[in-house]
Amino acid sequence: METFNVRENLNLGRRDFFGAAAVTIAAAQLGVIGPATAQAGESKLPAIKPGTHTSFGPLKQIDAGLLNVGYAEAGPADGPAVVLLHGWPYDVHSFVDVAPLLASAGYRVIVPYLRGYGTTRFLSGDTMRNGQQSAVALDAIALMDALKIDKATLAGFDWGARTADIVAALWPERCKALVSVSGYLIGSQEAGKAPLPPAAELQWWYQFYFATERGRAGYDKNRYDFAKLIWRLASPKWDFDDATFDRSAAAFDNPDHVAIVIHNYRWRLDLADGERKYDDLEKKLAEGPVIAVPTITMEGDANGAPHPEPAAYRNKFSGRYEHRLIKGGVGHNLPQEAPQAFAEAVISAAKA
């Protein structure tokens, strides 16, 4: 039986980094399983220092659905597939150390640029530059179809975690296992309209900025400084250097980047329409579907972005489940800040 406020639960999907106000509920109230705050166990993966790798080598391009998708690939072509999904304002370099770890363990690793990032482009100038959650999730399905991947382990953070959650919830036959930083991030416009406590609303300052035309123009003009500020707020203990940031910031030069970002946040607050062809999917997502595939949720102990407590989303996962708290000053960009822990989680989930 649920023991937390329903509105708070619905508002989990309103995170920009997909956070809502922290929900202070004792784990015992929801019967959270034992390893809810456990570190990942010992790994057979080679030890790696974050920042060891700086590139993937040449990227690939493929037509998939509405897009020509830019993506990195690593590992054997016949290995079990893993799709790694980034968020805003980040890019594929969040997984630059994770991908070679997984490849060394025999996995075929696919790391795509989301719509509006990097070398990913819309195939038609007439296609709506739509950032709503179901449209972005369908991009992942289309990419898997184009690459002839029937089933994959999906793993991500921020927008990428939400996308992975949606695929796992709506198309479980395509998802072998799930790794989701900050847990269950599926939301709805109705939930997005509900006000939060003032302290939580303060965390969403950029969402209100994006709701204005001044915000759109300001983000377009200052997108690099804006992203760097978000990085620092979301990962206050991550001492990234300019070169690390610049490698990711290049992805924001995409001609559709601003349109996708602005539409994403306005759509969440019901300030912008989506496309009617996605209405049925959004209705399903608004019901908060339970995820049944094997899942590991993760959180860094220094995540500066607002995020829900694990107890608040534990009942959204009905299959084999584990939560891992990664210690050591790890912030919001968990795969780049703690690549070994993230790769370990992917392998553990895939073997479940």
Side-chain angles (χ1 to χ4, degrees):
M1 182 178 69
E2 293 183 352
T3 60
F4 56 96
N5 182 277
V6 173
R7 194 187 76 184
E8 288 176 333
N9 182 38
L10 290 174
N11 277 330
L12 294 180
R14 282 190 59 195
R15 293 186 70 221
D16 204 77
F17 310 103
F18 301 116
V23 183
T24 55
I25 303 171
Q29 287 181 291
L30 292 178
V32 174
I33 61 175
T37 58
Q39 285 278 41
E42 292 185 5
S43 172
K44 295 181 181 179
L45 293 174
I48 188 171
K49 180 181 178 181
T52 296
H53 300 89
T54 59
S55 71
F56 293 97
L59 295 179
K60 299 181 178 182
Q61 299 287 143
I62 192 169
D63 287 350
L66 300 174
L67 304 170
N68 177 261
V69 178
Y71 68 99
E73 182 168 5
D78 60 350
V82 174
V83 179
L84 304 177
L85 301 165
H86 71 83
W88 174 86
Y90 304 92
D91 85 323
V92 296
H93 289 87
S94 290
F95 304 103
V96 73
D97 286 321
V98 172
L101 286 174
L102 294 176
S104 73
Y107 291 87
R108 180 189 182 190
V109 186
I110 306 297
V111 191
Y113 280 111
L114 302 186
R115 57 169 59 192
Y117 295 79
T119 60
T120 292
R121 297 288 189 274
F122 284 90
L123 292 172
S124 172
D126 295 329
T127 302
M128 178 180 174
R129 273 39 179 176
N130 184 346
Q132 73 183 101
Q133 60 180 357
S134 57
V136 177
L138 282 170
D139 291 344
I141 295 292
L143 177 61
M144 290 173 63
D145 289 345
L147 293 173
K148 296 180 171 54
I149 296 173
D150 292 330
K151 201 167 191 175
T153 296
L154 276 75
F157 74 107
D158 199 89
W159 290 25
R162 169 179 278 189
T163 296
D165 287 348
I166 292 172
V167 173
L170 297 187
W171 298 283
E173 71 279 3
R174 307 300 301 271
C175 184
K176 184 179 189 300
L178 170 68
V179 174
S180 180
V181 176
S182 297
Y184 188 89
L185 306 179
I186 297 172
S188 70
Q189 286 184 312
E190 192 61 32
K193 290 189 291 186
L196 295 171
E201 297 285 20
L202 179 61
Q203 300 278 355
W204 285 69
W205 61 271
Y206 51 89
Q207 178 174 248
F208 301 110
Y209 183 62
F210 288 164
T212 68
E213 285 307 300
R214 175 179 176 175
R216 175 195 286 271
Y219 183 61
D220 191 10
K221 180 180 179 180
N222 303 302
R223 64 183 81 176
Y224 309 115
D225 289 339
F226 200 105
K228 185 174 283 189
L229 174 61
I230 295 297
W231 279 35
R232 288 172 175 157
L233 293 174
S235 299
K237 296 187 177 181
W238 183 27
D239 187 23
F240 61 88
D241 58 22
D242 287 343
T244 297
F245 175 77
D246 290 345
R247 282 190 288 271
S248 288
F252 313 147
D253 284 331
N254 185 293
D256 301 307
H257 178 73
V258 173
I260 293 296
V261 171
I262 297 299
H263 183 265
N264 178 282
Y265 291 113
R266 291 184 182 182
W267 178 87
R268 296 190 202 188
L269 296 182
D270 198 19
L271 298 176
D273 290 334
E275 293 179 86
R276 300 286 72 81
K277 63 182 178 180
Y278 302 127
D279 283 354
D280 288 344
L281 293 177
E282 294 297 347
K283 288 178 182 177
K284 293 177 182 178
L285 295 175
E287 294 171 357
V290 171
I291 293 172
V293 306
T295 298
I296 293 177
T297 58
M298 306 184 75
E299 196 64 76
D301 66 343
N303 187 356
H307 54 277
E309 293 294 328
Y313 52 74
R314 172 61 187 93
N315 68 337
K316 289 297 185 182
F317 301 97
S318 63
R320 184 170 177 178
Y321 176 82
E322 180 184 352
H323 179 76
R324 297 183 178 183
L325 175 66
I326 309 304
K327 299 179 180 180
V330 176
H332 186 62
N333 187 2
L334 194 153
Q336 195 162 3
E337 297 175 59
Q340 188 158 354
F342 192 85
E344 288 169 351
V346 171
I347 292 173
S348 294
K351 290 182 176 179

